[in-house]
């Protein structure tokens, strides 16, 4: 190549945006969050539907603002989930569902797609923001998952904010727990020895409350990094010590910069059996599928009414797939696409 050609090429390169993207190419950032699958939104009161939309809008606004400012996906996911953990409308942090003993036990996970670093906590009861504790497990230990008292003590030793049981256990969840308990008693009288009382879908019928309200957030930031985070109180009436999919890397939460970031919500046991979140990434990586097809195929492997996922890929494509009646979800990207939904209203 002669010198003139070289100078011409360099000149053209300088005129291109730093990212190499032109205006109508994929968005520079994308964020999707969920507030849990399950329950029939059309049966919820107007007020409750609005609370859910308000909570997700506030979290989405925070996420978009931080991403627009160039913040890292890890910080954005943590901040968004902390806000949802503080919002008693959702089953994470304050307002978490209660286990069979009427106690709260919280699970959370965060994963960075750049280097597969991840941290998770299970069955914690004292730390106010389990997602921040999960991040500390990732950044301050050589482990991936801490549980119970050890996890709480670890958080306290780092000075993370704690809260008493009354903070986490709201009146709404105490009422829902009582309804669940009454239903258990009823079922055990009807069918002594029948364990179907533990089917969470039955419980949602009895309480007329959304059974799930787990929160999750997946982000592609302006630096090209993918991060996924999930936080939950698990399933109402779960056994003491039960751990769901949310803190299990690959099952309820996964991120890999080469493919996608995924957060799940639904009946955790089904997600663990199928390694749902990592399965979406695997279908992209090994099967060459696009994000939408991969997510749909993974959801098709789940039993009916088991849950859903949100995901974003390295190009900024966003998907929300579920086989429940509804899944509270919100999404936005740098091109101005935005939506907040509870059921299938945007699919008509
Ligand atoms: N997947 C959660 C669990 O099984 C529950 C949920 O998504 O609402 O713990």
């Amino acid at each position: 190549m002669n010198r003139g050609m070289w100078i011409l090429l360099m000149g053209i390169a300088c005129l291109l945006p730093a990212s190499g993207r032109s205006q109508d190419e994929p968005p520079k950032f994308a964020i999707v969050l969920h507030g849990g699958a399950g329950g029939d939104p059309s049966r919820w009161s107007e007020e409750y539907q609005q609370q859910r939309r308000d909570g997700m809008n506030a979290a989405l606004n925070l996420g978009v603002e931080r991403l627009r400012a160039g913040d890292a996906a890890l910080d954005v996911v943590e901040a968004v989930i902390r806000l949802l953990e503080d919002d008693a409308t959702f089953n994470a942090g304050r307002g978490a569902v209660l286990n069979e003993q009427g106690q709260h036990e919280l699970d959370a996970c965060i994963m960075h797609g750049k280097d597969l670093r991840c941290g998770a906590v299970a069955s914690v009861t004292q730390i106010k923001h389990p997602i921040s504790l999960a991040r500390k497990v990732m950044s301050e230990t050589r482990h991936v998952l801490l549980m119970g008292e050890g996890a709480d003590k670890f958080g306290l030793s780092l000075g993370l904010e704690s809260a008493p049981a009354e903070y986490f256990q709201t009146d709404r969840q105490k009422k829902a727990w009582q309804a669940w308990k009454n239903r258990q008693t009823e079922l055990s009288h009807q069918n002594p020895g029948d364990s179907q009382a533990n089917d969470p879908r039955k419980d949602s019928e009895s309480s007329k409350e959304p059974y799930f309200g787990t929160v999750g957030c997946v982000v592609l930031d302006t630096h090209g990094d993918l991060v996924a985070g999930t936080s939950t109180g698990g399933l109402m009436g779960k056994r003491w010590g039960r751990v769901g999919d949310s803190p299990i890397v690959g099952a309820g939460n996964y991120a890999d910069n080469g493919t996608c970031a995924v957060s799940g919500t639904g009946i955790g046991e089904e997600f663990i059996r199928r390694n749902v979140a990592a399965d979406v990434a695997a279908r992209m990586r090994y099967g060459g599928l696009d994000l939408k097809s991969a997510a749909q195929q993974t959801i098709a492997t789940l039993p009916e009414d088991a849950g859903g996922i949100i995901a974003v890929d390295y190009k900024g494509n966003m998907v929300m797939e579920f086989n429940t009646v509804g899944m509270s979800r919100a999404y936005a990207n740098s091109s101005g696409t935005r939506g907040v939904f509870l059921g299938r209203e945007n699919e008509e």
Side-chain angles (χ1 to χ4, degrees):
M1 189 188 302
N2 67 35
R3 195 157 178 271
M5 276 278 278
W6 177 247
I7 289 169
L8 185 69
L9 281 176
M10 288 305 283
I12 293 170
C14 286
L15 289 174
L16 287 171
S19 63
R21 289 174 175 148
S22 71
Q23 283 293 345
D24 43 5
E25 275 181 7
K28 283 194 293 186
F29 68 75
I31 174 169
V32 190
L33 59 93
H34 70 73
D40 181 352
S42 68
R43 289 170 59 184
W44 304 344
S45 69
E46 277 295 326
E47 192 194 352
Y48 186 69
Q49 292 186 28
Q50 201 48 46
Q51 278 170 13
R52 284 209 158 215
R53 285 199 200 91
D54 289 348
M56 290 193 292
N57 263 313
L60 192 65
N61 289 344
L62 173 70
V64 168
E65 193 184 305
R66 302 267 316 245
L67 286 164
R68 196 165 280 146
D71 285 3
L74 196 58
D75 296 330
V76 175
V77 166
E78 184 186 2
V80 163
I81 292 189
R82 282 174 67 101
L83 201 67
L84 293 167
E85 286 176 340
D86 287 341
D87 186 336
T89 312
F90 301 100
N91 169 21
R94 177 167 163 75
V97 298
L98 306 177
N99 66 13
E100 63 179 352
Q101 325 266 26
Q103 301 301 321
H104 63 285
E105 290 180 277
L106 313 174
D107 301 340
C109 180
I110 195 159
M111 181 162 187
H112 202 306
K114 188 176 183 177
D115 43 20
L116 307 183
R117 273 183 307 143
C118 45
V121 290
S123 299
V124 297
T125 58
Q126 298 175 49
I127 298 298
K128 199 170 171 188
H129 297 109
I131 195 69
S132 297
L133 184 55
R135 181 169 175 179
K136 289 290 185 200
V137 172
M138 178 178 93
S139 64
E140 308 300 321
T141 79
R142 61 186 190 284
H143 307 300
V144 164
L145 172 60
L146 291 187
M147 55 79 63
E149 212 185 323
D152 273 317
K153 286 249 163 77
F154 169 65
L156 294 173
S157 75
L158 294 175
L160 294 195
E161 200 179 345
S162 62
E166 309 81 73
Y167 167 80
F168 297 102
Q169 299 175 14
T170 58
D171 287 346
R172 188 173 71 86
Q173 288 298 2
K174 283 184 191 157
K175 258 196 223 153
W177 182 84
Q178 198 52 60
W180 169 83
K181 193 79 189 156
N182 295 345
R183 172 99 176 130
Q184 296 292 292
T185 316
E186 212 179 280
L187 283 172
S188 63
H189 286 148
Q190 276 166 18
N191 307 303
D194 184 351
S195 65
Q196 75 163 346
N198 267 333
D199 183 339
R201 290 163 291 192
K202 298 269 178 329
D203 299 333
S204 90
E205 288 296 310
S206 65
S207 66
K208 295 210 172 54
E209 284 279 331
Y211 208 90
F212 315 118
T214 291
V215 304
C217 179
V218 292
V219 159
L220 169 71
D221 68 16
T222 50
H223 316 285
D225 284 327
L226 288 169
V227 170
T230 308
S231 182
T232 187
L235 300 180
M236 171 70 82
K238 65 185 181 181
R239 272 184 194 278
W240 181 23
R242 176 265 190 189
V243 176
D245 60 314
S246 309
I248 307 296
V249 173
N253 201 72
Y254 191 72
D256 170 8
N257 272 9
T259 52
C260 58
V262 184
S263 169
T265 169
I267 300 170
E269 285 69 13
E270 304 295 0
F271 281 63
I272 294 174
R273 287 183 188 112
R274 291 168 184 80
N275 203 32
V276 162
D279 188 62
V280 178
R283 285 173 197 273
M284 290 180 74
R285 182 176 291 281
Y286 307 121
L289 295 188
D290 60 70
L291 180 68
K292 180 110 183 141
S293 316
Q296 283 175 340
Q297 286 191 12
T298 299
I299 289 295
T301 68
L302 285 169
E304 209 182 306
D305 218 13
I309 51 171
I310 55 166
V312 57
D313 72 8
Y314 63 98
K315 293 179 189 157
N317 293 309
M318 305 180 282
V319 305
M320 292 139 270
E321 294 291 331
F322 51 102
N323 71 4
T324 39
V325 180
M327 178 171 80
S328 299
R329 61 203 184 279
Y331 57 91
N333 65 20
S334 47
S335 305
T337 301
R338 183 187 170 105
V340 177
F341 297 102
L342 304 180
R344 298 205 177 264
E345 60 270 31
N346 63 327
E347 293 176 6
E348 283 149 18

